[in-house]
Structures are given as C-alpha cells and as structure tokens.
C-alpha cells in the first residue's frame, strides 16, 4: 500500500493548496497543474462512476470475475481502474461489494491502492446509496436509521443532522466517501412509485430544512452528500427506472415547490447534486430528460441556483435516459448539458469511447472535459482523499455499529412513529389485558441488511416487551384460505397486530383486515411503508405509520404499541380520502399521542 507520504508527493501539494473544507473557488493551481499533465483518456476516466462485481479489488469470487468480464471486459476492480482510470466506484449489495464492514474497508483500500499505484494515480470517489429506510446498501452490523419520511414525521433537524453525521462517520470508516443521499424530492403524489417514503415529505420548507441538516451532518464526517433528483422527482406516477416520467408543474410552481430543497442544499454547501431522468417542459420544452438538458443543468442549476459543485447523473442504465438516445450518445449529451460525473452506464466501454471520440471529433472540447475533472478533483481534495485515502480495521471496530450509534438510532426512531387512529383509547396495549397477541400481515422482502420478515421482527420486539406473540405471515395478497386461517387464530387472541403494505382499492389486504376486525378482537394496524394505507381501511380502530419495515422502525412501533414510549410523529404528507381524493382525510401535521 502506498504510504501517506507517497500519496502526498504524487499529488504535488494538492492538499496544501486546497485544504479540507475550503470553497470550490479556492486556489486551484495545483489541481490545474495536475490536470495539465493528464492524457485525455485519463481525464475522461475521471468522469465515470461505475459498478464492479466482487468483495475484493484483486481476488473476487469466480462468479464475480465472470460478471465483470461479461459486463465490463475486465476481471477485477483493479483491472477496471488500470484500463479506464475511472474516478469513482459505486457499491451495491447485489454486486457483492458489501458483505461486512471489514470486507468493505478492505475493498475500499484495494481500490485506492490500485488507483494510486498507477502513473499519475489519483484517489477514487467511492459511493453508495445509503439513504436509510427502504434504500440501504450496507446493512447490519452498521447502524441503520429511519428513512427520510420517518425523519420528516419526527420533524427534528437535529435528528436529521445526527443521522448524516453518524451515517457519514460509519461510511467513512469503511472507505466510502460519497453518499447518494439525501433525497431532496418533495413527494406530493401518493401514487409515486419510486420516491414515496424516500422523501422527507410534502412541505417544501420542511423538506428543505431536513435536507440542509442532513447535508451538514455528512459534511461533519467528511463524506460527500448528494442531493437528488434534480429538478425534482416528487410528483410522478412513473418510475424512471422503467419509464420516462413527465413533471407538468408550471415554472412558478416548480420554483415554489420542487426547487426549494435544492436551493437549501446549495446554501448548505452541498458537495454533489444528482440529476433526474424525467421531462420538465416548463424548464425545457425540447423533450430531453433533465440529465441531458443544457437549459436545466447549466441554465437553471448552475445559473439560477448558483451551483458550481459536482453534478452527477442518476444511473445511465435507467430507462428514463435511454428512450430517446443510444447509449453512445447519452454520456456525450450529458456532458454537453453541464454534468460532471457519468454514473454506471450500461456499457462502460461504449460510453468511455464515445466521450473520447466526441473530444477528438470536436463535438466536445478538451477544456470542457477539464472543467468537470477540476470539479471532481476539488471534491476529492475537500474530502481529504489526497492526504488520507486509506482506512483501518481499528477505525471500523471503533465506529461502525457502535453501541452509542445503535442506541441513538432507536431513540430517533421513537420520535418518528405516527399514531393516525386510536379509537376508544385502544393503544397502548396492556400486557395484563392484551398479553396474548397475534401478529399477521404483509411480509415484503426486507430492505438490505435488516433482519426480516417484518411480522417476525414485530413479534420478537413485542415478546421482549413481555407479550406472548404468535406469527402468521399472510403476505401482500392473502388468499381466502389464508384469511380464514388468520381469522380463526384471531378469535383466540387478546389482540391482533396486522402489518399492511401499500394497500390499494380492492386489495386482498382489505379483506383480511376487515374480517379480522369483524371477529371483535381488537386490531392494531401498522402501515409498513406508505402512510396512505389508512385511507383504505377506515374500520381499523388503531393505526400506526412506521414509514418503513426496517428493524429500527419496527422496534420503535412495538414500543409505541406497548406504551413504553408515546407516539410523537406527525404526518409529513397529507392522506386523502379513498372515496374522494379531492378531500383530505388526515392533513400534514396530524398525529395523536398518549
């Protein structure tokens, strides 16, 4: 492993000229000198952030070698860096990058060693999607926090900053120096299939305050925060992974709604902003996705919002950016729009060669490439990567999943659980009168790195609180036979706790819950994801919203059910009536307590 002294010497005083925490307009002399000595191919490489399979930079499992050869044309992360000189790597659990904290730290060190060992070697931005809640790439034993909408229900900027600070510290200890979080979308569409609980809520000012707080927390731990998805993905009914959404907001509405959290992120000194693969005709009527739009990226984000930091695309493998142009055109058009980092193209070889060709053909100037390389290197310098690119086992042991961090996550979660309905004071349940519980309901696949299934986690937490709890998983589409079995079990229980998941009209979950209530046994429902479930099930006497089904949120819901803590969360989104969506059933700010 190259020593700290070797790294410093190789970068010719970069850290002395651009210290950690200095603004983007600090003295760039050393960085510009570095760029001037880089061949075009290396400059282009710095603009790419790509996936790579395997738990090790040099010795991945054979299945991961095969996947790398098939998709990237290399065997290992080290070979990837040698061939393309990429400036960034993104970790995924499905790419087998995130087995455990020590392995992650070793992979990170191996990636940095492979890059810094090359001629003119540079440190690598290692990124992941650690939003918490339903989107996490690194699970237990790392600390997992409530997701954004849960934090929105808690309403505490202090808690949001704490999440950023602790999450950032644990990521940094594992060698991950950029997080694609927080989500700055204002979720005003209950049917949004891709954002939903990943958003802090529907009030732009509340979302803005929490975004800025979480950004500051990540900065406290020297991890680059990334606000997404500009210019706003909160009012879509289409998932940009699989389709091409259109935002129909007027320019005035966009400025009052979607733009507000991004302005706050810019004021907070956000390190990076991620673009969205969607059309916003009010900002650009060309029909191009925002990622490829010069009017949006350069005109609005850089010009109107005054942002001069790193702009990264959302994944270039998503359908929203691939429907209009081929994979060879997308990266070139993104750079022409004003983007700096090209995230995870479906074919790195096609994308990398397309950018090199565009420069050699004169479609892109080398000075345009230099602008983006400079922004990327500024970020690496601000994060201290030229000085401290490596991490240690001792650092992992000291920081990741510490008892203090885990306890903090539990306390924050307790402040987010929202009590929506509590007829006749059913909650909290007493062990004396409702000691024998039946826990039933949906069991969606657990978010990465959590225990699951959710009914089992809820039951275990209730047992720890002194209840007897029997589990019957009924799934998201219970059959008539399953419903009958649950109803029979409910007749012998003192109370039923039923977990619901994204309930819609004529959903079999409705039949299950209605028949459970009809038994006369008290029923407590927990919305595992979207709080909108409550509108579809008006017969339920007590309803909680947990905003996700990770362990930390389910444990908090159990403590609320048992009365160990009082519910304190307030709805960060409005819930409309199921029979008349024009009418609000529960407004923003609704939330009961004991």
């Amino acid at each position: 492993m190259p020593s700290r002294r070797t790294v410093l010497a190789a970068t010719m005083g970069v850290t002395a000229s651009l210290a950690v925490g200095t603004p983007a307009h600090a003295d760039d002399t050393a960085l510009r000198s570095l760029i001037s000595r880089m061949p075009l191919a290396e400059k282009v490489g710095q603009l790419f952030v790509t996936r790579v399979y395997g738990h090790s930079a040099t010795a991945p499992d054979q299945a991961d070698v095969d996947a790398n050869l098939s998709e990237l044309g290399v065997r290992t992360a080290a070979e990837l860096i040698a061939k393309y000189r990429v400036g960034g790597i993104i970790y995924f659990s499905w790419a087998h990058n995130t087995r455990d904290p020590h392995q992650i730290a070793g992979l990170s060190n191996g990636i940095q060693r492979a890059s810094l060992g090359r001629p003119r070697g540079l440190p690598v931005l290692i990124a992941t999607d650690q939003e918490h809640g339903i989107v996490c790439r690194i699970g237990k034993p790392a600390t997992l926090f409530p997701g954004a909408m849960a934090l929105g229900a808690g309403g505490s900027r202090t808690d949001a900053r704490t999440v950023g600070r602790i999450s950032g510290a644990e990521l940094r200890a594992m060698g991950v120096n950029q997080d694609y979080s927080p989500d700055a979308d204002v979720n005003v569409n209950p049917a949004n299939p891709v954002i939903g609980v990943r958003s802090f809520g529907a009030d732009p000012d509340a979302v803005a305050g929490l975004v800025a707080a979480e950004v500051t927390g990540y900065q406290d731990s020297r991890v680059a925060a990334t606000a997404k998805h500009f210019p706003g993905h909160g009012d879509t009914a289409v998932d940009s992974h699989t389709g091409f959404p259109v935002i129909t907001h007027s320019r005035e509405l966009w400025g009052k709604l979607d733009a507000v959290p991004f302005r706050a992120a810019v004021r907070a000194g956000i390190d990076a902003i991620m673009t969205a693969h969607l059309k916003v005709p009010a900002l650009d009527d060309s029909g191009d996705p925002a990622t490829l739009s010069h009017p949006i990226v350069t005109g609005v984000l850089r010009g109107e919002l005054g942002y001069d930091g790193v702009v990264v695309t959302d994944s270039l493998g998503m359908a929203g950016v691939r429907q209009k142009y081929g994979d060879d055109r997308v990266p070139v058009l993104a750079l022409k729009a004003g983007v700096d980092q090209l995230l995870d193209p479906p074919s790195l070889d096609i994308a990398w060669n397309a950018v090199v060709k565009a420069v050699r053909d004169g479609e892109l100037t080398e000075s345009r490439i230099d602008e983006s390389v400079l922004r990327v290197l500024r970020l690496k310098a601000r994060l201290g990567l030229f000085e401290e690119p490596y991490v240690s086992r001792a650092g992992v042991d000291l920081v990741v999943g510490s008892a203090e961090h885990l306890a903090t996550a539990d306390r924050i979660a307790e402040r987010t659980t929202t009590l929506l309905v509590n007829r006749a004071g059913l909650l909290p349940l007493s062990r004396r009168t409702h000691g024998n519980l039946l826990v039933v309901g949906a069991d969606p696949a657990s978010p990465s790195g959590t225990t699951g299934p959710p009914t089992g986690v809820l039951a275990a937490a209730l047992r720890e609180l002194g209840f007897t709890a029997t589990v019957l998983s009924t799934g998201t589409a219970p059959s008539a036979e399953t419903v009958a079995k649950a109803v029979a079990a409910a007749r012998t229980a003192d109370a039923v706790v039923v977990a619901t998941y994204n309930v819609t009209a004529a959903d079999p979950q409705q039949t299950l819950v209605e028949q459970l209530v009809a038994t006369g046994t008290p029923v407590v429902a927990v919305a595992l994801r979207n709080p909108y479930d409550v509108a579809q099930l008006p017969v339920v006497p007590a309803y909680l919203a947990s905003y996700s089904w990770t362990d930390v949120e389910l444990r908090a819901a159990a403590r609320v059910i048992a009365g160990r803590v009082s519910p304190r969360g307030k709805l960060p989104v409005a819930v409309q009536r199921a029979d008349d969506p024009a009418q609000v059933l529960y407004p923003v700010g609704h939330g009961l307590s004991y």
Side-chain angles (χ1 to χ4, degrees):
M1 181 183 296
S3 68
R4 176 174 174 273
R5 180 175 298 174
T6 302
V7 174
L8 289 172
T11 56
M12 297 188 65
V14 168
T15 45
S17 299
L18 214 169
V20 174
T22 55
H25 299 295
D27 182 6
D28 290 331
T29 303
L31 295 179
R32 293 184 187 277
S33 176
L34 195 61
I35 293 168
S36 71
R37 298 192 305 276
M38 295 170 63
L40 174 62
E42 292 181 13
K43 293 178 183 179
V44 171
Q46 284 298 297
L47 307 184
F48 282 95
V49 181
T50 184
R51 68 196 179 281
V52 66
Y53 291 85
H55 70 288
S56 163
T58 55
D61 294 339
Q62 186 59 50
D64 293 321
V65 170
D66 294 341
N68 285 329
L69 285 170
S70 173
E71 296 183 21
L72 299 164
V74 297
R75 295 169 55 83
T76 67
E79 289 183 12
L80 174 77
I81 289 166
K83 182 173 182 179
Y84 293 104
R85 303 300 290 268
V86 293
I89 298 285
I90 179 172
Y91 286 171
F92 291 106
S93 51
W94 51 258
H96 310 137
N97 304 138
T98 58
R99 290 181 179 176
D100 65 75
H102 284 134
Q103 169 269 317
I104 296 168
L107 174 60
S108 300
N109 282 341
I111 286 170
Q112 299 293 7
R113 188 183 307 117
S115 185
L116 291 164
R118 307 297 303 175
R120 299 170 300 278
L122 295 168
V124 178
L125 282 170
I126 299 175
T128 198
D129 293 286
Q130 194 79 348
E131 295 179 17
H132 295 278
I134 68 170
V135 176
C136 267
R137 309 305 185 199
I138 300 172
K140 295 169 61 177
T143 305
L144 297 175
F145 286 95
M149 192 170 284
L151 293 176
S156 169
R157 296 182 184 184
T158 299
D159 283 351
R161 181 167 181 167
T162 298
V163 169
R165 177 180 57 79
I166 292 177
S167 179
E170 295 199 5
L171 289 172
R172 184 75 188 219
M174 293 179 280
V176 179
N177 45 59
Q178 182 168 12
D179 192 8
Y180 294 141
S181 186
D183 190 303
D185 301 312
V186 181
N187 198 83
V188 293
N189 188 338
N192 196 321
V194 65
I195 305 301
V197 295
R198 297 169 62 194
S199 161
F200 288 107
D203 181 296
D205 292 325
V207 172
L210 294 169
V211 165
E214 193 167 296
V215 167
T216 303
Y218 278 109
Q219 291 169 337
D220 291 344
S221 295
R222 290 200 305 168
V223 165
T226 307
K228 59 189 185 185
H229 306 81
F230 189 82
H233 210 316
D235 191 11
T236 67
V238 174
D239 184 345
S240 53
H241 291 84
T242 56
F244 192 12
V246 180
I247 299 290
T248 58
H249 294 175
S250 68
R251 211 177 199 292
E252 181 183 13
L253 179 58
W254 175 84
K256 293 179 178 178
L257 185 75
D258 306 278
V260 176
F262 291 100
R263 288 196 194 101
V266 172
R267 286 195 299 270
I270 187 74
D271 297 293
I273 291 178
M274 179 181 287
T275 62
H277 304 325
L278 41 72
K279 285 186 287 190
V280 189
L283 302 182
D284 179 2
D285 61 5
S286 70
D288 286 345
T291 295
L292 310 182
S293 168
H294 189 275
I296 292 176
V297 176
T298 298
V300 177
L301 179 55
R302 296 214 188 275
E304 294 181 25
L305 272 61
Y307 177 66
D308 192 37
V310 169
V311 176
V312 57
T313 71
D314 206 341
S315 169
L316 297 183
M318 293 166 60
V321 79
R322 301 177 73 190
Q323 289 193 359
K324 190 173 179 181
Y325 302 100
D327 291 340
D328 59 333
R329 295 300 298 154
V330 166
V332 175
L333 294 173
L335 291 171
K336 292 178 75 171
V339 161
D340 302 304
Q341 285 186 307
L342 304 162
L343 177 61
D344 204 26
S347 169
L348 178 59
D349 190 64
I350 288 173
W352 185 89
N353 279 294
V355 174
V356 171
K357 182 178 185 297
V359 177
R360 289 177 176 160
D361 290 350
E363 183 178 7
L364 285 168
T365 65
E366 192 158 355
S367 63
R368 168 67 192 89
I369 301 298
D370 290 352
E371 288 176 16
S372 287
V373 175
L374 178 59
R375 290 193 186 98
V376 171
L377 295 187
R378 277 177 183 158
L379 178 54
K380 293 180 179 183
R382 284 203 305 277
L383 295 173
L385 296 180
F386 288 97
E387 187 175 20
E388 295 181 72
Y390 300 110
V391 295
S392 67
R393 289 182 65 88
V396 171
D397 291 335
L398 181 66
V399 175
V400 179
S402 71
E404 179 185 358
H405 289 176
L406 294 173
T408 299
D410 279 333
R411 299 294 83 77
I412 289 175
E414 289 174 354
R415 295 190 278 271
T416 69
T417 306
T418 306
L419 180 59
L420 302 174
V421 180
N422 192 25
R423 296 193 186 94
L426 173 58
L427 291 179
L429 296 181
S430 166
R431 286 177 297 169
R432 292 187 297 275
T433 56
H434 298 92
N436 178 28
L437 302 180
L438 173 66
V439 181
V440 302
D443 271 329
S446 288
S448 298
T450 59
T451 303
T455 53
V457 175
L458 265 174
L462 289 164
R463 289 186 198 112
E464 289 179 8
L465 295 167
F467 292 86
T468 299
T470 302
V471 178
L472 176 59
S473 176
T474 50
T476 56
S479 65
E481 182 181 2
T482 299
V483 170
K485 187 175 180 181
V487 166
R491 296 187 191 282
T492 62
D494 296 326
V496 178
V497 177
V498 57
T500 67
Y501 182 86
N502 293 0
V503 181
T504 58
D507 192 313
Q509 292 180 81
Q510 282 187 322
T511 303
L512 169 70
V513 174
E514 288 168 358
Q515 291 197 23
L516 288 171
V517 172
T519 65
T521 302
V523 174
V524 178
V526 180
L528 295 180
R529 185 168 178 165
N530 292 324
Y532 312 115
D533 287 7
V534 66
Q536 301 289 346
L537 294 165
V539 298
V540 176
Y543 222 128
L544 292 167
S546 66
Y547 306 101
S548 181
W549 59 108
T550 56
D551 297 356
V552 69
E553 286 156 305
L554 293 174
R555 288 196 304 266
R559 289 193 291 276
V560 168
I561 290 169
R564 295 297 178 92
V565 295
S566 295
R568 294 172 56 181
K570 306 294 182 183
L571 272 177
V573 294
V575 175
Q576 285 86 16
R577 291 178 60 97
D579 57 352
D580 184 3
Q583 300 296 316
V584 173
L585 181 63
Y586 298 113
V588 171
H590 172 77
L592 308 175
S593 192
Y594 304 149

